[in-house]
Amino acid sequence: MANGNGNGNGNGAIIRMSGIRKVYDTGKIMVEALTGIDLEIEKGQMVAIVGPSGSGKSTLMNLLGCLDTPTSGDYALGGQNVSGVSRDQLAEIRNRRVGFIFQNFNLLPHISALENVEMPMLFGGVPVRERHQRAGELLARVGLGDRLDHKPTELSGGQMQRVAIARALAMNPDIVLADEPTGNLDSTAGSDIMSLFTELWQQGRTMIIITHDPALARRASRVVEIRDGRIVHDQVAAA
Amino acid sequence: MKNDLRVILSLFASSSRLQRKRAYLTIAAIAWGTVAILLLLAFGQGLRLQLDKNRRSTGENIAVMWPAETAKAWKGMPPGRAIRPSMDDIAFLRERMPELKSVFGEITSGRTALAYGRKTVSGRVIGTNVVYGEARKHYPMAGGRFMAPEDEIQRRRVIFLGDELAKDLFGDEPPVGKTLQLNNTPYLVIGVMQKKTQMGMYGGPDANHAIIPITTFRAQFGRDRLNNLAIETWNPEEMKSALRKLNEILGAKYGYDPTDERALQTWDMVKSSKIMKNMLIGIQLFLGIIGALTLLIGGVGVANIMYAVVKERTREIGVKMALGAKRRWIIAPFVLEGLVYTFIGGALGIIIATLLVALTSFVPIEDNKVMAFLGRPTLSIQIGVATSMILGMIGLLAGYFPARRAASIDPASTLRYE
Ligand SMILES: Nc1ncnc2c1ncn2[C@@H]1O[C@H](COP(=O)(O)OP(=O)(O)O)[C@@H](O)[C@H]1O
Ligand SMILES: [Mg+2]
């Protein structure tokens, strides 16, 4: 399971979006959340997606993570075209290629930290013993080696987000997607998480982070700004 | 496939710890429904067996005919003529219809004085043939016997008593071997009939009459016209053609239209038992449907709790989907959970119903008129299989529909955070 090696894709872009539109049809009104997104992200980039509330950031993240399908446009993730793919195939793509991190953590409340981290590997068909071992290693790596058997309710916000990060890494995905990962954390816990992201990026991960936080955005190698459903600014930081 | 099973079981194990109280209520509802359907069906089965036994206690594959008047004109003769077979017709029919199991005639004397010691009762006395005993299930109690061929040939004055008649006349004294007076003529009591619950009867209950040889009857009462003529076939299927043939033979002898059903009035027990059988199947079906509906209410309870669980776990389901759970991995644990509730409830219900049915076997049936008629509730393999199948269906459906709702959850909108 190579870390998204581009699959023969000439310039190594792990994400290729072109002409992506997303329209929410709520019955009464139609909301055009994304009005035409063209976006390419290289392997190993750390991209911050910024923009005001309601500009379409979360919608974009859902599409990037294959949680939702665009109304129109083309999207290839790791060289694999994901339009016109079945729900179960999308589930498999999410499982293998995407690690999600949410603002409100979204851990399963009734099972332990270890079991939470094991969950994607259960879906990915990883054998029990390997699952167990890897989940333990990942939790140790995010600094929770002594909290394996704790339920999410027994952990602090920062600790919960660490469990979520360990879970996101479980299947060694092509991209890690985080939507406002520090939004529910105090500033100390928030900066710890940011440092962890930077570390992961330095280890070669492709990180895509949606954030309001200018401090977090500043750590990124590239900042994409969205307004009213389109990209208005795309800046690669000098190396 | 193997991986599917592992994933599903693992998810099931980690999810079914919620909603305890509701789970208990649901299980109780299923158990109650199962008890209801099992008891109703057991009751129906008991009724069926008992009625069948009671019906057979009069006799099987028997048709009884009694003299009447023709309703159709025949070869220039007007309708309304009385047809009265006599004792000779018994031997005549035996000869002409050797395929029959038995032929017997009855000559009856109602309200006849039977006296023993100081006691006199008035009872019905029937003169008949030896084969009557087997055909009409007049089995003797221990120490006695029914009539034997010599009794009939030698015109012996022997008498076989119905159990109630014997009790009226002899009280607690054993009647066999005693001599009673029938219209002031001494008769030796040779046997008393075993008690039986009788469904169909003609003339009166067997328990209240007395049987003497038909030859003795003719000698004592000077009558040889039959009050009843009866035939018995080996199989129920033969009855229809046997009756047709009998009417052709007797029609030719007495001069009536063989298709005239009124010439000899006939009670065909085979035909009436068929009607009763259908009726009982109808009752059984009806009871089963009522039971199934009761069970269905339990099933709705299971579905309801499952819907509540789906609603409660919507976000969890969304998270699992985001992590890569396939549709069947979401559906199966719910179906499994519904099945487990149904299975536990069903097993409980089966245990309770079996215990209850077992308890009814302690109620003595002999001295209980209601039980003697309704019979004992009886569970059978068929009832078990039918109930299990209904339970399984309900369990599957009760889990499936909520699970389908769970699988249709849209992870993107579920996980939206404002
Ligand atoms: N499921 C949905 N149904 C209808 N409208 C939606 C839905 N999701 C998002 N929207 C709308 O789309 C727009 C973009 O939303 P979102 O992507 O959540 O923005 P952001 O994450 O940048 O705050 C908003 O106007 C929002 O109301
Ligand atoms: Mg958002």
Side-chain angles (χ1 to χ4, degrees):
Chain A
M1 221 178 295
N3 191 359
N5 53 16
N7 293 359
N9 207 325
N11 56 9
I14 210 152
I15 281 170
R16 285 166 169 279
M17 272 188 164
S18 62
I20 292 285
R21 287 176 64 245
K22 179 67 183 179
V23 179
Y24 290 111
D25 186 354
T26 58
K28 285 205 183 72
I29 44 161
M30 308 260 274
V31 181
E32 191 166 8
L34 297 176
T35 56
I37 298 280
D38 299 302
L39 181 65
E40 285 196 7
I41 293 175
E42 306 290 316
K43 177 178 180 291
Q45 279 189 329
M46 177 159 171
V47 181
I49 296 176
V50 298
S53 178
S55 57
K57 303 185 298 295
S58 295
T59 303
L60 179 59
M61 159 154 146
N62 287 343
L63 294 181
L64 285 170
C66 300
L67 263 184
D68 210 348
T69 46
T71 311
S72 65
D74 289 321
Y75 175 34
L77 173 57
Q80 185 176 5
N81 200 321
V82 297
S83 44
V85 152
S86 77
R87 277 189 74 159
D88 274 0
Q89 282 170 310
L90 277 183
E92 199 170 323
I93 291 170
R94 285 196 294 273
N95 181 254
R96 302 203 169 279
R97 297 188 179 277
V98 185
F100 286 99
I101 296 160
F102 301 94
Q103 180 171 358
N104 56 335
F105 324 128
N106 277 331
L107 298 177
L108 298 179
H110 305 288
I111 57 179
S112 69
L114 191 78
E115 288 169 310
N116 264 286
V117 179
E118 283 185 53
M119 190 63 74
M121 294 188 273
L122 174 67
F123 298 142
V126 178
V128 186
R129 197 166 302 169
E130 198 181 325
R131 210 155 78 201
H132 225 65
Q133 193 193 337
R134 184 162 163 74
E137 283 168 9
L138 285 167
L139 281 170
R141 179 158 155 206
V142 298
L144 292 175
D146 54 346
R147 296 281 195 281
L148 303 186
D149 295 325
H150 287 231
K151 295 271 166 66
T153 43
E154 297 159 354
L155 299 171
S156 71
Q159 288 172 325
M160 282 196 268
Q161 199 59 302
R162 284 163 189 277
V163 175
I165 290 167
R167 183 178 68 181
L169 298 175
M171 287 298 287
N172 198 12
D174 292 352
I175 57 171
V176 173
L177 282 178
D179 191 353
E180 313 267 10
T182 58
N184 278 11
L185 302 178
D186 60 52
S187 55
T188 329
S191 73
D192 282 354
I193 295 295
M194 290 188 300
S195 304
L196 192 50
F197 282 152
T198 311
E199 233 173 81
L200 290 172
W201 169 51
Q202 283 163 352
Q203 286 162 8
R205 297 257 164 217
T206 308
M207 311 287 296
I208 302 169
I209 300 157
I210 291 166
T211 185
H212 268 120
D213 186 347
L216 183 48
R218 236 176 284 125
R219 291 173 181 246
S221 64
R222 177 180 169 191
V223 179
V224 174
E225 190 181 344
I226 295 189
R227 254 171 226 279
D228 297 330
R230 62 165 50 89
I231 295 172
V232 293
H233 207 78
D234 189 346
Q235 184 184 2
V236 182
Chain B
M1 274 287 92
K2 212 168 128 202
N3 182 43
D4 273 352
L5 200 66
R6 266 211 312 262
V7 173
I8 288 160
L9 288 179
S10 175
L11 289 176
F12 173 68
S14 68
S15 76
S16 57
R17 296 170 200 150
L18 299 149
Q19 299 270 3
R20 276 266 158 84
K21 206 176 218 162
R22 280 214 238 181
Y24 291 147
L25 282 174
T26 304
I27 287 170
I30 289 284
W32 163 243
T34 309
V35 168
I37 192 171
L38 282 175
L39 286 189
L40 285 169
L41 286 177
F43 173 80
Q45 179 78 353
L47 183 70
R48 220 162 63 104
L49 293 177
Q50 188 71 6
L51 288 189
D52 209 43
K53 190 176 146 218
N54 293 349
R55 172 183 68 77
R56 274 195 294 232
S57 72
T58 301
E60 293 171 76
N61 309 333
I62 289 180
V64 182
M65 287 146 281
W66 54 98
E69 292 182 350
T70 57
K72 294 180 180 175
W74 179 246
K75 294 190 172 162
M77 290 177 285
R81 285 173 308 113
I83 303 299
R84 301 216 57 187
S86 72
M87 249 176 82
D88 301 336
D89 291 320
I90 299 165
F92 177 63
L93 281 173
R94 280 178 185 163
E95 190 188 315
R96 298 288 297 273
M97 299 182 71
E99 70 274 18
L100 291 178
K101 188 177 178 193
S102 66
V103 179
F104 57 89
E106 299 174 40
I107 318 178
T108 317
S109 170
R111 301 248 181 93
T112 311
L114 296 163
Y116 176 73
R118 293 160 164 254
K119 206 160 184 186
T120 302
V121 300
S122 142
R124 200 156 43 89
V125 174
I126 297 172
T128 188
N129 307 100
V130 173
V131 288
Y132 180 96
E134 266 301 316
R136 292 275 284 98
K137 314 249 164 137
H138 280 47
Y139 300 123
M141 286 187 196
R145 64 172 181 89
F146 194 69
M147 298 187 298
E150 309 80 64
D151 298 324
E152 195 179 327
I153 294 163
Q154 297 176 18
R155 267 179 280 160
R156 284 185 185 150
R157 284 205 296 272
V158 293
I159 191 161
F160 181 89
L161 300 176
D163 52 303
E164 277 177 32
L165 182 69
K167 189 146 197 151
D168 288 347
L169 195 54
F170 288 91
D172 292 331
E173 223 179 302
V176 176
K178 306 277 157 49
T179 300
L180 59 69
Q181 305 289 321
L182 192 165
N183 284 353
N184 296 319
T185 309
Y187 275 76
L188 176 68
V189 179
I190 54 170
V192 176
M193 189 182 76
Q194 281 177 20
K195 191 179 170 66
K196 65 184 184 183
T197 305
Q198 205 182 346
M199 268 275 295
M201 51 188 83
Y202 54 97
D206 294 354
N208 287 327
H209 65 206
I211 307 291
I212 62 174
I214 196 165
T215 46
T216 317
F217 189 102
R218 179 166 58 183
Q220 167 132 11
F221 291 91
R223 288 161 43 193
D224 87 336
R225 294 286 177 182
L226 301 178
N227 293 82
N228 296 303
L229 171 66
I231 60 170
E232 183 185 16
T233 57
W234 292 100
N235 295 302
E237 303 81 47
E238 294 160 9
M239 184 54 84
K240 211 172 156 185
S241 61
L243 282 173
R244 196 181 311 125
K245 185 169 171 193
L246 178 134
N247 274 304
E248 273 160 18
I249 293 169
L250 290 185
K253 179 169 176 183
Y254 288 99
Y256 68 86
D257 185 342
T259 64
D260 187 348
E261 295 188 345
R262 306 269 287 276
L264 285 177
Q265 301 254 26
T266 306
W267 176 26
D268 178 353
M269 294 189 195
V270 172
K271 208 158 137 190
S272 42
S273 86
K274 216 177 266 163
I275 293 170
M276 198 177 80
K277 249 179 211 153
N278 289 338
M279 210 176 70
L280 285 169
I281 289 172
I283 290 175
Q284 187 82 326
L285 218 65
F286 175 73
L287 292 175
I289 288 169
I290 292 178
L293 287 179
T294 313
L295 199 48
L296 196 66
I297 293 170
V300 170
V302 173
N304 203 40
I305 184 179
M306 299 305 293
Y307 273 121
V309 171
V310 169
K311 197 166 171 208
E312 192 182 85
R313 296 185 198 158
T314 299
R315 178 166 283 267
E316 277 180 56
I317 293 164
V319 171
K320 283 178 185 165
M321 286 174 161
L323 299 181
K326 291 183 180 163
R327 200 180 134 83
R328 55 181 177 276
W329 299 340
I330 301 294
I331 289 182
F334 282 102
V335 175
L336 210 58
E337 198 168 333
L339 275 177
V340 164
Y341 291 148
T342 312
F343 179 80
I344 296 174
L348 270 177
I350 288 172
I351 291 169
I352 294 170
T354 309
L355 283 178
L356 286 176
V357 166
L359 272 182
T360 62
S361 67
F362 291 112
V363 179
I365 200 163
E366 281 71 31
D367 305 319
N368 189 324
K369 283 260 191 312
V370 179
M371 290 284 279
F373 184 73
L374 293 181
R376 263 186 222 302
T378 307
L379 287 169
S380 67
I381 302 277
Q382 287 95 315
I383 291 176
V385 169
T387 306
S388 305
M389 272 167 49
I390 295 172
L391 270 171
M393 282 276 292
I394 286 178
L396 268 182
L397 294 181
Y400 177 72
F401 287 106
R404 233 181 37 167
R405 173 173 297 183
S408 70
I409 283 172
D410 171 27
S413 54
T414 305
L415 297 177
R416 263 176 70 80
Y417 181 85
E418 303 292 344

